[in-house]
């Protein structure tokens, strides 16, 4: 039955607030330049409220306002009629303003959605005595609301599949930043890879128009501190002034755009839940709550995030988090803390949960992580790609960026089976290589992360959950198959099946199968375990487990995951050993592991009778007890006399480390938790372990890829509490006195800035201790890499070969080139900080001039810029004498409170006998000469480095026996601006 549209007239001043006079127009100019109109349209699915404001309307009081609503596509008229009569009143600024507000109901429009971005045009006409005022705006009918903790678009639940770093600006040429064709190509591409919502750098009308037309949703608003305020305090002055600012400058220009579905009032403001932003939290929260209450009364066609990232739902409609798990802190496993809604909620309201910033991993033009000076970026890079050679940094960084984005997206989406309030996420990462100097979107060069988006953002998602990424041939793997139904049709998935295959690197299918899957209602997620027996004769290598969800022969979704499969003999054997293997292990787990691996050994229950020249003592995992604490003197004596010890993982609260040759602390804080910038770095557990000395026999056959994640031995899946046991390191440690590094060979390290130590050999007298933080014993016969490392450790420590603490350097060290550095500098211990310099495209050099701070940091323009200037790549170039330093809570480099202009750095190495001099090349970027001091085996010399110049410092080496290598202790001291480019021994 046809119902005649109903028009309600409301004549009112808009709460005393002068609205902006810059409404979007689609064509017609005003007949009289002195008269300006602003038309704001607030639609829902069956009606529309319209607010009209006219400046310079003193003579127009009482005139009728006519209006019509017409479909943009096809021109069909939806409604027309008289809208009301203009009410005129002064606005308090000396102007006379005309106002009218009206509402039309009982309409039957076509609704705007990402699939069908239907648009309408509202035309108004006000006939005056001398001229007729006309204006036209474009809008769309739609409803975006929250109900039961879900986001609903036009009454149907929707999951936000976002991307946060987008144009305009961000180094784009001026000709493209506001270019409609460029914006259209960009938005269409993002939609093609599954993105349905984005954030713009600013509310550009060109970009807003394009998003309206292409069906791209936006979360948009004030991404910073409210005008006149600070991160820890609200704006000064009357609240009404701030309200006018929000309406006139921030939100008003977005009102007529249906693509804008979420308003943001502030970004990462003070909160009692954020350690570094607790000051002023109550005042900030009160201000934002008041702003939300006022603005949501004015415009309820959108939802609101009051304090993006840090508001915790105390005000606004959405509880939003910013979490950089897997970049600045924690790992991707921390996404499992999202199973609990109270990770976010701090109010009694049931709210949708979003993560409008996450992921990070800022790769630059050439694919390497962007090492922006004096930020959290360089130390974060070390956490994830470590000291991999420069030739590997770009492919590893790009792969890790894609992997983290995929894990974040897929875990969050499939966790809706556990937490139905999870409503969307938007990775804050850089999708394209090129921004500056391009001619069009075709030149932007998408990164591999966009391929991951296309896979993880499929509306119907097949997602593999497999926590045994390294297994033996002949074993059975039990992945969990997740299906998430966000089908754009809104239909239930029925009669679906999984088709899967295991494929080797040459494309050969080694196993395959087919499995019926349960029905999945719309906006639901389901999971099902799958058991796959691996062929027993598979050769060692990396395989792809791929799958497709099929219905009636049609493919609805595809996805894949990688798995390393090793032949049964991968761990190897110890063979004949030069020492007896004696094992102290009352509980027996380590002895069981050694038996399983065929390692001959004998159990000991006390340390009496140890032979330092012929025995290797293995202290079993978790075996430290009171008897060993009472035997520390014996241990110390045993090592000093030439004994070897392999000490496996121990509990921090039980382990007595006083007998070790160096001072260490076992770390106690866990890696995964729900917090921002947590204390406790480096954490006790870690993934992505860095093989600092890959040529050491302990790491024989084990490369960086095999130290990323190990296989879970607890049979964990998402239905269980906690996290899977997949970290290779669970009991890492630090060296507490940097000078102890003279007696320490760090073989593997981890964490922010590689501060955590996973495996180190410590030397005392004629013997050594190999201290391990690797969780090996629990994985015996499950993870072939863990098995091989245990065999390697036994073989190495039980060998007759002499062990040496320091690396032999036979070629020039180019500082900042990790492969060239031979693992000589690790973590914060050396004090030699990687120097990073910006590479600025020619077209940006005037805009971003180079400068060097008093602490030696190099910048292009202002500081930061890893996301706002993605065309500026910071690369490693030398190291600076910067120590002692530490990391802030957020992960940036920090100097002690009391520090001078000079810093120092040190390292230890060996060089072949016959080398007569050490040549150090030093650069001085300062406009004044600076002194560099070089200390070699206790002898010091000081040399002046010219301003803006480079010089070589030559240090003579003492003559030594020509048949052996020379051990060197080297220290550099000088102004922190000085850059040590290379060290060569000739």
């Amino acid at each position: 039955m046809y119902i005649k549209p109903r028009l309600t007239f409301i004549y009112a001043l808009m709460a005393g607030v002068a609205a902006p006079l810059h409404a979007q127009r689609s064509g017609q100019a005003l007949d009289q330049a002195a008269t300006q109109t602003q038309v704001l349209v607030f639609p829902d699915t069956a009606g529309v409220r319209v607010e009209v404001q006219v400046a310079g309307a003193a003579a127009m009081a009482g005139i009728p306002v006519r209006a019509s609503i017409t479909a943009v596509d096809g021109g069909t008229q939806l409604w027309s009629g008289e809208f009301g009569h203009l009410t005129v009143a002064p606005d308090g600024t000396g102007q006379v303003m005309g106002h009218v507000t009206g509402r039309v109901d009982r309409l039957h429009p076509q609704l705007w959605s990402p699939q069908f971005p239907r648009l309408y045009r509202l035309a108004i006409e006000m006939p005056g005595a001398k001229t007729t005022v006309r204006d036209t705006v474009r809008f769309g009918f739609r409803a975006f609301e929250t109900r039961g903790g879900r986001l609903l678009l036009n009454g149907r639940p929707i999951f936000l599949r976002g991307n946060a770093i987008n144009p305009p600006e961000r180094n784009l040429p001026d000709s493209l930043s506001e270019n409609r064709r460029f914006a259209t190509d960009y938005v269409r591409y993002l939609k093609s890879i599954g993105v349905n919502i984005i954030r713009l750098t600013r509310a550009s009308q060109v970009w807003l128009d394009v998003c309206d037309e292409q069906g791209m949703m936006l979360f948009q608003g004030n991404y910073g501190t409210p005008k006149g305020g600070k991160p820890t305090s609200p704006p000064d002055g009357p609240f009404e002034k701030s309200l006018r600012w929000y309406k006139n400058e921030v939100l008003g220009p977005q009102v007529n755009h249906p693509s804008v579905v979420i308003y943001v009032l502030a970004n990462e403001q003070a909160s009692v839940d954020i350690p570094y932003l607790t000051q002023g939290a109550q005042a900030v929260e009160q201000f934002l709550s008041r702003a939300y209450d006022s603005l949501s009364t004015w415009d309820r066609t959108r939802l609101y995030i009051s304090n993006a990232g840090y508001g915790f739902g105390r005000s606004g409609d959405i509880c939003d988090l910013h979490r950089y798990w897997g970049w600045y802190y924690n790992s991707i496993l921390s996404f499992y803390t999202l199973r609990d809604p109270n990770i976010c909620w701090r109010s009694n309201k049931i709210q949708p949960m979003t993560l409008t910033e996450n992921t990070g991993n800022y790769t630059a033009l050439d694919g390497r992580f962007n090492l922006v000076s004096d930020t959290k970026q360089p130390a974060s890079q070390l956490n994830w790609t470590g000291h991999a050679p420069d030739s590997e940094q770009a492919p590893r960084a790009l792969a890790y960026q894609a992997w983290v984005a995929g894990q974040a997206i897929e875990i969050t989406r499939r966790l809706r089976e556990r937490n139905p309030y999870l409503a969307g996420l938007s990775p804050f990462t850089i999708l394209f290589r090129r921004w500056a100097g391009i001619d069009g979107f075709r030149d932007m060069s998408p990164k591999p992360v966009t391929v991951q988006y296309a896979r993880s953002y499929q509306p119907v998602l097949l997602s593999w959950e497999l926590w045994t990424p390294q297994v033996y041939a002949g074993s059975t793997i039990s992945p969990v198959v997740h299906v998430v139904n966000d089908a754009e049709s809104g239909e239930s998935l029925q009669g679906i099946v999984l088709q899967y295959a295991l494929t080797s690197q040459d494309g050969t299918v080694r196993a395959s199968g087919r499995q019926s899957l349960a029905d999945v209602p719309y906006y639901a997620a389901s999971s099902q375990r799958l058991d796959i027996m691996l062929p027993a004769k598979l050769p060692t290598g990396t395989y792809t487990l791929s799958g497709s969800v099929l219905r009636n022969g049609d493919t609805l979704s595809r996805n894949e995951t990688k798995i390393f499969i090793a032949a049964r003999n991968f761990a190897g054997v110890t063979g004949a050993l030069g020492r007896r293997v004696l094992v102290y292990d009352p509980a027996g787990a380590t002895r069981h592991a050694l038996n399983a691996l065929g390692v001959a050994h004998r159990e000991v229950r006390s340390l009496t009778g140890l032979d330092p020249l012929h025995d290797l003592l293995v202290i079993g995992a978790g075996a430290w007890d009171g008897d060993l604490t009472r035997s520390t003197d014996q241990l110390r004596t045993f090592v000093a006399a030439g004994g070897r010890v392999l000490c496996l993982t121990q509990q921090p609260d039980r382990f007595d480390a006083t007998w070790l040759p160096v001072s260490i602390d076992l770390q106690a804080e866990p890696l995964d938790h729900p917090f921002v910038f947590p204390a406790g770095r480096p954490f006790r557990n870690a993934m992505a372990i860095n093989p600092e000395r890959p040529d050491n026999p302990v790491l024989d056959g084990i490369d960086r890829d095999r130290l990323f994640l190990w296989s879970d031995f607890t049979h964990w899946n998402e239905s269980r509490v906690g996290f899977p046991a997949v970290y290779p390191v669970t009991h890492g440690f630090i060296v507490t006195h940097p000078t102890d590094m003279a007696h320490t060979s760090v073989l593997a390290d981890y964490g922010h800035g590689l501060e955590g130590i996973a495996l180190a050999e410590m030397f005392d007298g004629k013997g050594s201790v190999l201290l391990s933080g690797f969780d090996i014993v629990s994985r015996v016969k499950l993870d072939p890499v863990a098995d091989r490392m245990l065999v390697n450790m036994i073989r190495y420590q039980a060998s007759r070969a002499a062990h040496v603490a320091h690396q032999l350097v036979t070629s020039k060290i180019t500082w900042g080139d990790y492969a060239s550095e031979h693992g000589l500098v690790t973590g914060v211990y050396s004090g030699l900080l990687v120097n990073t310099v910006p590479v600025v495209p020619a077209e940006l050099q005037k805009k971003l001039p180079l400068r060097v701070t008093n602490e030696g940091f190099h910048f292009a323009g202002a500081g930061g810029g890893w996301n706002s200037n993605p065309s500026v790549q910071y690369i490693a170039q030398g190291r600076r004498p910067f120590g002692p330093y530490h990391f802030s809570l957020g992960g940036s480099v920090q100097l002690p409170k009391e520090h001078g202009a000079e810093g120092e750095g040190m390292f230890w190495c060996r060089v072949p006998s016959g080398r007569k001099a050490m040549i150090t090349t030093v650069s001085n970027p300062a406009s004044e000469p600076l002194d560099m001091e070089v200390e070699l085996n206790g002898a010091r010399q000081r040399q002046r480095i010219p301003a803006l110049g480079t010089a070589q410092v030559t240090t003579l080496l003492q003559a030594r026996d020509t048949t052996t290598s020379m051990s060197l202790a080297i220290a550099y001291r000088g102004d922190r601006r000085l850059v040590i480019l290379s060290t060569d021994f000739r």
Side-chain angles (χ1 to χ4, degrees), residues 168-179:
E169 284 91 40
R170 300 196 193 276
N171 300 147
L172 285 178
D174 292 342
S175 61
L176 295 182
S177 203
E178 291 290 314
N179 183 288

Side-chain angles (χ1 to χ4, degrees), residues 662-911:
V662 302
S663 176
I664 67 112
D665 274 342
L666 287 182
Q667 298 303 97
E669 296 299 320
L671 177 62
D672 293 299
H673 43 70
F675 309 115
V676 176
F677 295 157
R681 282 196 179 109
F683 304 109
R684 62 174 174 81
N685 48 354
M687 59 180 285
I689 310 305
N690 175 61
E692 196 64 76
R693 307 229 174 145
D695 56 345
N696 187 280
V698 168
L699 296 171
D700 177 56
I702 302 173
D703 62 19
R704 184 179 301 274
D705 291 330
R706 304 281 65 82
L707 297 173
F708 189 71
L709 287 176
W710 283 2
S711 287
D712 171 70
F713 52 86
T714 68
H715 307 290
W716 189 90
N717 62 56
E718 288 176 8
S719 67
R720 298 175 57 183
V721 298
F723 308 101
V726 290
Y727 291 136
V729 168
T730 56
H731 293 81
F733 53 96
I734 61 171
V735 172
T736 57
H737 301 308
T739 54
D740 278 348
M741 298 302 286
H743 314 291
T744 306
S745 175
V746 176
L747 305 181
D749 44 20
Y750 68 90
H752 201 84
L754 297 179
E755 189 177 9
I757 300 176
L759 183 67
E761 187 173 8
M762 304 168 182
F763 295 82
D764 185 20
K766 298 179 181 180
S768 71
V769 179
L770 187 63
L771 180 62
S772 169
F774 282 96
D775 188 10
I776 292 176
V777 170
S778 303
R779 295 181 166 89
V780 65
K781 305 306 288 184
L782 168 64
D783 190 310
V785 180
D787 287 350
R788 180 154 189 158
M789 180 169 281
L790 182 55
V791 171
N792 285 351
M793 287 177 171
I794 298 290
R795 186 188 296 122
Y796 174 67
Q797 281 296 83
S799 69
R800 290 189 179 276
H803 292 191
V804 291
H806 305 139
Q807 285 281 77
L808 180 65
V809 177
T810 59
S811 59
K812 183 172 73 172
I813 301 168
T814 300
W815 295 108
D817 180 340
Y818 298 142
S820 168
E821 292 177 352
H822 306 289
L824 297 174
V825 290
T826 58
V828 300
Y829 308 108
S830 74
L832 290 171
L833 184 70
V834 170
N835 181 61
T836 67
V837 298
V839 179
V840 184
E843 56 268 34
L844 296 177
Q845 288 177 4
K846 288 185 178 179
K847 185 178 180 181
L848 301 171
L850 299 180
R851 65 185 182 91
V852 180
T853 70
N854 290 335
E855 292 179 343
F857 294 108
H858 295 233
F859 289 118
W866 57 89
N867 65 80
S868 57
N869 291 317
S871 289
V872 179
Q873 177 164 2
Y874 287 72
I875 62 173
Q877 188 178 91
R879 286 185 181 264
R880 294 186 284 124
F882 201 81
Y885 68 89
H886 61 279
F887 293 118
S888 69
L889 195 63
S892 297
V893 168
Q894 294 263 294
L895 290 170
K897 289 184 179 180
E898 302 295 332
H899 68 272
E902 290 196 348
E904 68 175 345
M906 52 193 169
F907 68 98
W908 294 262
C909 69
R910 292 180 299 126
V911 298

Side-chain angles (χ1 to χ4, degrees), residues 76-91:
T76 303
Q77 191 173 86
L78 184 67
W79 173 86
S80 66
E82 190 173 284
F83 194 71
H85 294 77
L86 206 64
T87 299
V88 175
D91 69 349

Side-chain angles (χ1 to χ4, degrees), residues 422-558:
L422 291 171
L425 78 166
S426 186
F428 194 78
T429 196
I430 299 172
L431 303 186
F432 304 95
R433 293 177 185 267
R434 299 188 59 205
W435 299 74
I438 63 174
D439 294 322
F441 174 74
R442 64 185 178 277
D443 300 326
M444 290 195 76
S445 184
K447 297 177 182 178
V449 66
T450 60
V451 177
Q452 188 65 55
Y453 268 31
R455 181 179 298 146
S456 300
Y457 272 159
Q458 295 174 92
V460 175
L461 172 67
L462 163 65
S463 183
W464 293 100
E465 180 193 355
L466 177 65
W467 298 117
T468 52
Q470 300 181 157
V471 295
Y472 283 105
S475 60
T476 298
I477 60 173
S478 300
V480 176
V481 179
H482 296 266
V483 178
V484 182
N485 182 10
D486 292 326
E488 293 181 345
S489 65
E491 62 182 340
S492 175
L493 299 179
Q494 298 176 335
I496 57 176
V497 296
L498 171 73
Q499 186 169 291
Y500 64 88
L502 181 74
T503 309
S504 57
Q505 288 178 304
D506 64 2
T508 303
V509 175
R510 302 288 185 159
S512 62
R514 192 177 177 92
Q515 176 76 43
S516 296
L517 297 174
D519 295 346
V520 187
Y522 174 71
Y523 206 72
S526 70
S527 57
Q528 190 168 326
R529 173 175 159 162
L530 185 69
D531 293 325
I532 303 174
M533 179 172 288
L534 304 176
K537 295 185 179 181
L538 288 177
T540 298
T542 300
Y543 293 75
T544 300
L545 177 61
S546 60
S548 299
V549 174
L550 307 175
R551 181 178 60 186
N552 299 327
D554 295 330
T555 300
L556 303 181
S557 183
R558 294 188 179 94

Side-chain angles (χ1 to χ4, degrees), residues 9 59-60 75 84 170 220 259 261 268 321 344 395 407 567 572 610 640 648 733 819 833 853 875:
F9 300 117
M60 301 177 67
R170 300 196 193 276
Q220 201 67 25
S259 55
V261 296
E268 295 188 355
L321 296 172
C344 193
Q407 292 294 319
L610 293 179
L648 300 176
F733 53 96
L833 184 70
T853 70
I875 62 173

